[in-house]
Amino acid sequence: MTDVCEEAILKHLSSSEAIDDTFPWAEQAGLDHLAVVGAVKSLLADDYVATSDLQTSFCTLSKEAETIVANGSQEVLVLKALSEPLSIPELQEKVGKDVAKIGMGNCLKNKWVKKDGANLVPLVTADQVEDTVQDALKKIFKANGDVTAVDSKVFDGLKRRKLVSLVTRKSFKVTKGPSYKPVRVKKAADLTKEMLDSGAWKTAEFKPYNYMTLGEKVGGGYLHPLLKVRAEFRNILMEMGFEEMPTNKWVESSFWNFDSLFQPQSHPARDAHDTFFIKEPAETVSLPEEYYERVKTMHEIGGAGSIGYRYDFKREEALKNLLRTHTTAVSSQMLYKLANQPGGFKPARYYSIDRVFRNETMDATHLCEFHQVEGLVADYDLSLGDLIGTIETFFKKIGINQLRFKPAFNPYTEPSMEIFGYHPDLKKWTEIGNSGMFRPEMLEPMGVPPNVRVIAWGLSLERPTMIKYRIKNIRDLFGHKVDLARTRSAPICRFDEVA
């Protein structure tokens, strides 16, 4: 359609100086005016034409106004119906409810009728009044909506009754432009291989290039606040000499998640209301058999100065697959490999920051999945003082220097401590992590030398992120309710080390 309009415009201008108004010209040519406007703007971009804006105001009649033009105004119809006094229900039955409602009010206003009890009594006859509303609408209709066809006060009255509405139509006056030609030649946007092969580039017209303009802004990706805090934690831990553990496997067996940590098979955390078990595949296919037997013995009989849990260790429980409840499942595997690597045990520092899953009730501070930050040090003759010193060093690097430690219980660490930090905004002490030394009952079956101790601590990634970015509800940080605009505008995470 645009090509047809362009051709018609250029052909008209070849024999005439201008198109005085595109609207009547489009009607005369049998073309859609919107398509003509699009063609004019396209030709204007290549200087084939020049334009000047035109603006025409006219009014249109409503459906009610069209009915008045045909039949007369409501007030005159009501007056004609009142050849004798009538009650309102009788009038409505005679002319209709809508006509009676509007016409009765205007008749009373014009003092053509009066109320006498329940009846309406005419004061004049229909022959004695002039239907000024119908006359005015007829004048506008015959003048094709020209607002000057009636007095401005009369027109305002029609507008108040919503019988007419004012419309502004925009169109163009079109004349020849500096690059006018009777037939439009499309300018090439790119130099193609075909042009080079045929030599067409020598005579082809190209669109002008603006080498100073900037390209469109690329809507690149943005790091989520959790990822920003994770990146900063990674830098801190690597600066402290820690090596990252491979935690990309979310599904673990109950053996690595619980049994290898000396956590009994009757522990409440292993119930379905606390842990997400996998339906398919429901069991793992393999375990290190020698190590499995040593773990089983430790649970049933004991060792390393322990009497164990004194129960029948069940293989079917150990084989169950689950979504890991902590990244310590990976720590146990790394320690087993460390103890059995060629050349024997060597001291190491490991850390991980990854997702874990627990079947918990969701609220403002808890989700069914979250990120756990975990660090451990395996070396000879470590003590509780080494654990406290390592924890204090880490937390000082993230800006927390007021720490307290409280004795606690964990199935696989002894001694165990909860870590509390002073929150300057809340002005109170809040729990920020957990820590302890791995029990000998966990380390001996792995083959770790007797004088090696492993200290470890852990905390969630979400809590320090919420504090850092002043987020009160964890569901505003992680999950389907996250505001994407916040992700785009979140500042870079930076922790200032406390001296």
Side-chain angles (χ1 to χ4, degrees), residues 323-340:
L323 289 176
R324 66 182 180 210
T325 61
H326 46 199
T327 52
T328 317
V330 181
S331 302
S332 62
Q333 295 174 60
M334 294 300 293
L335 288 171
Y336 173 72
K337 290 178 182 178
L338 188 66
N340 296 276

Side-chain angles (χ1 to χ4, degrees), residues 324-389:
R324 66 182 180 210
T325 61
H326 46 199
T327 52
T328 317
V330 181
S331 302
S332 62
Q333 295 174 60
M334 294 300 293
L335 288 171
Y336 173 72
K337 290 178 182 178
L338 188 66
N340 296 276
Q341 66 184 343
F345 171 84
K346 292 180 182 178
R349 296 184 176 201
Y350 292 126
Y351 83 92
S352 66
I353 307 174
D354 212 331
R355 198 173 298 186
V356 297
F357 308 86
R358 294 180 189 174
N359 193 0
E360 294 186 347
T361 301
M362 292 188 290
D363 56 31
T365 57
H366 294 85
L367 290 177
C368 290
E369 53 181 303
F370 60 95
H371 294 76
Q372 182 179 344
V373 183
E374 182 172 346
L376 66 89
V377 180
D379 207 341
Y380 295 98
D381 301 321
L382 293 176
S383 66
L384 192 63
D386 295 305
L387 174 60
I388 293 173

Side-chain angles (χ1 to χ4, degrees), residues 223 226-236 238 353:
L223 285 178
L226 275 175
L227 297 181
K228 294 179 180 181
V229 175
R230 185 182 73 174
E232 187 68 10
F233 276 18
R234 271 180 170 163
N235 290 336
I236 291 170
M238 286 190 286
I353 307 174

Side-chain angles (χ1 to χ4, degrees), residues 68 73 75-76 110 112 129-139 150 154 158 161:
I68 291 173
S73 64
E75 50 265 40
V76 172
N110 295 334
W112 292 351
V129 299
E130 185 179 350
D131 195 344
T132 56
V133 174
Q134 185 187 41
D135 293 341
L137 290 173
K138 282 183 176 179
K139 287 179 182 179
V150 296
V154 174
L158 296 175
R161 287 182 65 169

